[in-house]
């Protein structure tokens, strides 16, 4: 498995531990500022508070790779 298909439900990520993700998924989340400590402690990095238009190109690429689009990103709050 490279990256799981969240099928429009970004909350699937909240059900996973860092170790449950593939290396590709971890790499994409890392581009958004996450690491194992942040993930496992639900300590969100600065990117999680940004609107899509405020994400840099690398962050948008990573978010797209994880299944997000502008609408999903802007409509999802970290829990």
């Amino acid at each position: 498995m490279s990256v799981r298909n969240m099928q429009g439900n970004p909350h699937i990520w909240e059900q996973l531990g860092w170790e449950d993700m593939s290396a590709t998924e971890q790499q994409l989340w890392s581009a958004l500022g996450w690491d194992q400590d942040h993930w496992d402690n639900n300590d969100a990095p600065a990117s999680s508070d940004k609107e899509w238009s405020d994400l840099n190109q690398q962050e948008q690429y990573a978010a797209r790779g994880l299944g997000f689009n502008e609408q999903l990103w802007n409509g999802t709050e970290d829990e």
Side-chain angles (χ1 to χ4, degrees):
M1 165 185 48
S2 181
V3 178
R4 67 196 79 226
N5 181 351
M6 68 173 179
Q7 299 178 359
N9 180 13
H11 297 292
I12 67 158
W13 298 112
E14 296 169 2
Q15 299 169 12
L16 300 172
W18 186 260
E19 68 282 350
D20 297 324
M21 290 187 263
S22 70
T24 301
E25 291 168 336
Q26 289 176 357
Q27 182 179 23
L28 291 167
W29 281 112
S30 292
L32 290 163
W34 291 91
D35 59 25
Q36 184 166 6
D37 287 338
H38 283 95
W39 190 271
D40 290 342
N41 293 309
N42 197 28
D43 181 19
S47 66
S48 66
D49 291 329
K50 292 181 182 179
E51 292 292 316
W52 182 267
S53 61
D54 295 326
L55 295 174
N56 66 38
Q57 188 175 15
Q58 179 184 0
E59 291 168 332
Q60 284 186 8
Y61 177 83
R64 268 192 224 95
L66 291 163
F68 289 92
N69 58 33
E70 183 172 2
Q71 181 180 7
L72 281 173
W73 184 266
N74 290 342
T76 302
E77 294 202 20
D78 185 46
E79 296 181 13

